[in-house]
């Protein structure tokens, strides 16, 4: 687990109450990553284990208050880190497959027994190549404005995870409509294209291809333990726009609906937290404290933000 120890004075919580927290994520620091290689098998499809097939309807009922639509996603079968290179071995799955596996790990099926108990029991986390879960690739992006503020989104009550909490600037699955080339193969260039498209879809920005790269923007790979070790990539992006400019573009974008692809935006309210002074933050698993304000988050969000502060913001300040 990634440990974040608060060592700086924090206004919301007194010195006597400082804690060392563990967040439910396993992180590989990829700030020094120079290349990403993808070995994609477009003909290989994930198959649900029998216990999931037999309980599909019950497991899917866990999402009855969510607005969902199915789509083809990229499954991460294996990841191999070699020095400054990241090698991804990928295939195909569907969003619904993930909804009845990764996203319902602790949903009780029968006699107080959960899916985690049956196919991913403690105390060990299965390697990706051994996992029986859908494991579609997701990613988060922390977008920072030219006023040194990171954008967070208050998530809607109909999203599939993190209802009513504050999420990162962009949190999305890797969508095949953006990340496959003309031969329907997943490639590095299309990976970046997909991330840029999600940023523009969610925030209404107009980020260009030359503004993002693996070398400059990919900062970590992590596995979300709440979702059974689901694979996630963490990116950063600095944009030359003010907070007010971002707000305007975001609210203009809210009025647009993509009927063809049934695009669902994660939220309709933004907050901007200034990261130029780390002493204004206190980060706990279920909340980010900023000055005298508390913003509820998922532990994976606060944990990755702690990583971002420690390894990107503070690193830049000390360089």
């Amino acid at each position: 687990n990634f440990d974040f120890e608060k060592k700086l004075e924090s206004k919301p919580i007194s010195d006597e109450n400082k804690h060392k927290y563990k967040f439910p994520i396993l992180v590989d620091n990829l700030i020094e990553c120079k290349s990403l290689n993808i070995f994609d098998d477009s003909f290989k499809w994930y198959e649900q284990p029998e216990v999931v097939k037999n309980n599909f309807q019950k497991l899917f009922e866990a999402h009855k208050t969510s607005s969902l639509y199915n789509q083809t996603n990229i499954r991460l079968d294996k990841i191999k880190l070699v020095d400054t290179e990241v090698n991804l071995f990928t295939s195909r799955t569907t969003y619904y497959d993930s909804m009845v596996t990764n996203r319902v790990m602790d949903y009780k099926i029968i006699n107080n027994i959960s899916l985690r108990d049956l196919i991913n029991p403690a105390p060990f986390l299965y390697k990706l190549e051994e996992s029986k879960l859908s494991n579609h690739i997701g990613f988060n992006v922390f977008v920072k404005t030219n006023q040194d503020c990171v954008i967070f989104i208050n998530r809607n009550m109909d999203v599939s995870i993190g209802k009513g909490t504050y999420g990162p600037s962009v949190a999305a699955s890797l969508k095949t409509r953006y990340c496959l080339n003309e031969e329907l193969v997943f490639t590095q260039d299309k990976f970046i294209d997909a991330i840029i498209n999600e940023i523009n879809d969610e925030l209404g920005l107009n980020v260009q291809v030359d503004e993002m790269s693996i070398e400059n923007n990919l900062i970590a790979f992590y596995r979300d333990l709440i979702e059974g070790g689901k694979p996630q990539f963490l990116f950063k992006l600095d944009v030359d726009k003010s907070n007010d400019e971002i707000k305007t573009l975001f609210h203009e974008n809210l009025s647009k609906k993509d009927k063809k692809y049934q695009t669902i935006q994660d939220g309709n309210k933004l907050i901007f937290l200034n990261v130029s002074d780390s002493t204004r933050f206190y980060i706990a698993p279920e909340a980010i404290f900023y000055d005298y304000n508390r913003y509820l988050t998922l532990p994976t969000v606060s944990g990755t933000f702690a990583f971002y502060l420690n390894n990107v913001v503070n690193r830049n300040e000390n360089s």
Side-chain angles (χ1 to χ4, degrees):
N1 289 8
F2 176 69
D3 290 354
F4 179 80
E5 183 173 7
K6 183 64 182 174
K7 298 178 180 178
L8 303 173
E9 181 182 357
S10 176
K11 293 179 181 178
I13 299 180
S14 67
D15 290 347
E16 291 75 19
N17 290 329
K18 290 180 180 178
H19 294 86
K20 182 177 181 179
Y21 296 112
K22 287 187 176 181
F23 295 87
I25 54 177
L26 292 176
V27 181
D28 283 307
N29 188 331
L30 299 184
I31 291 175
E32 302 297 337
C33 174
K34 299 303 177 186
S35 65
L36 186 148
N37 307 306
I38 296 175
F39 303 90
D40 184 48
D41 185 346
S42 61
F43 297 101
K44 180 182 176 183
W45 284 83
Y46 168 74
E47 185 172 349
Q48 299 170 1
E50 288 301 316
V51 65
V52 174
K53 290 180 181 178
N54 294 338
N55 293 278
F56 181 92
Q57 183 174 350
K58 184 176 180 63
L59 290 167
F60 206 81
E61 285 176 357
H63 306 292
K64 59 186 176 183
T65 62
S66 304
S67 295
L68 303 176
Y69 64 95
N70 204 14
Q71 60 184 311
T72 300
N73 285 119
I74 303 297
R75 184 178 195 263
L76 185 57
D77 299 328
K78 180 180 177 180
I79 183 168
K80 188 174 182 181
L81 308 180
V82 183
D83 296 327
T84 59
E85 292 188 352
V86 179
N87 297 323
L88 306 183
F89 299 83
T90 58
S91 58
R92 300 292 179 271
T93 186
T94 71
Y95 195 65
Y96 280 179
D97 283 329
S98 292
M99 292 303 101
V100 294
T101 56
N102 296 87
R103 203 141 285 179
V104 288
M105 292 301 295
D106 298 300
Y107 192 71
K108 305 302 181 183
I109 301 175
I110 188 172
N111 294 334
N112 210 35
I113 298 173
S114 70
L115 195 62
R116 190 187 302 274
D117 297 326
L118 292 171
I119 64 175
N120 203 136
F124 306 111
L125 176 67
Y126 288 7
K127 295 179 180 178
L128 284 170
E129 52 266 40
E130 300 171 343
S131 175
K132 299 176 183 178
L133 305 176
S134 173
N135 293 334
H136 78 266
I137 296 177
F139 62 89
N140 293 344
V141 187
F142 286 118
V143 178
K144 187 175 72 171
T145 71
N146 60 15
Q147 294 177 250
D148 283 331
C149 290
V150 169
I151 305 165
F152 285 82
I153 293 183
N154 189 204
R155 294 174 63 78
N156 291 329
M157 295 304 292
D158 61 351
V159 293
S160 64
I161 191 169
K163 293 176 173 63
T165 65
Y166 283 89
S169 315
V170 176
S173 62
L174 194 61
K175 296 183 176 60
T176 50
R177 70 173 183 260
Y178 291 143
C179 72
L180 301 184
N181 64 17
E182 293 181 355
E183 287 74 40
L184 302 182
V185 175
F186 175 41
T187 67
Q188 177 182 332
D189 289 344
K190 297 302 290 184
F191 190 9
I192 292 297
D193 284 349
I195 294 160
I196 291 172
N197 275 289
E198 289 289 349
I199 293 169
N200 293 341
D201 285 350
E202 186 62 41
L203 297 176
L205 305 183
N206 187 28
V207 177
Q208 301 299 310
V209 173
D210 59 0
E211 295 180 63
M212 285 203 73
S213 67
I214 295 295
E215 297 84 355
N216 297 323
N217 300 91
L218 176 60
I219 60 176
F221 167 77
Y222 67 97
R223 295 186 66 187
D224 182 339
L225 303 187
I226 293 176
E227 294 196 41
K230 182 181 178 299
Q232 296 277 130
F233 288 86
L234 183 62
F235 290 83
K236 68 175 179 68
L237 177 65
D238 296 347
V239 294
D240 189 20
K241 288 182 172 62
S242 68
N243 298 353
D244 285 341
E245 288 177 301
I246 296 287
K247 281 182 184 177
T248 299
L249 291 170
F250 178 73
H251 287 292
E252 287 177 353
N253 193 51
L254 277 178
S255 62
K256 301 176 183 177
K257 289 187 178 180
D258 189 338
K259 294 181 180 179
K260 180 178 180 181
Y261 293 120
Q262 304 177 60
T263 297
I264 300 172
Q265 289 173 301
D266 288 342
N268 55 23
K269 178 184 176 183
L270 302 181
I271 61 168
F272 298 82
L273 304 185
N274 194 297
V275 296
S276 62
D277 182 2
S278 297
T279 63
R280 300 172 72 176
F281 289 96
Y282 186 96
I283 300 179
E286 295 181 355
I288 294 173
F289 295 86
Y290 179 73
D291 291 338
Y292 293 98
N293 300 306
R294 181 184 69 167
Y295 301 101
L296 297 180
T297 64
L298 290 176
T300 49
V301 175
S302 53
T304 51
F305 184 59
F307 178 89
Y308 172 80
L309 282 180
N310 279 345
N311 295 274
V312 177
V313 177
N314 291 343
R315 172 178 169 158
N316 291 340
E317 290 176 354
N318 295 328
S319 62

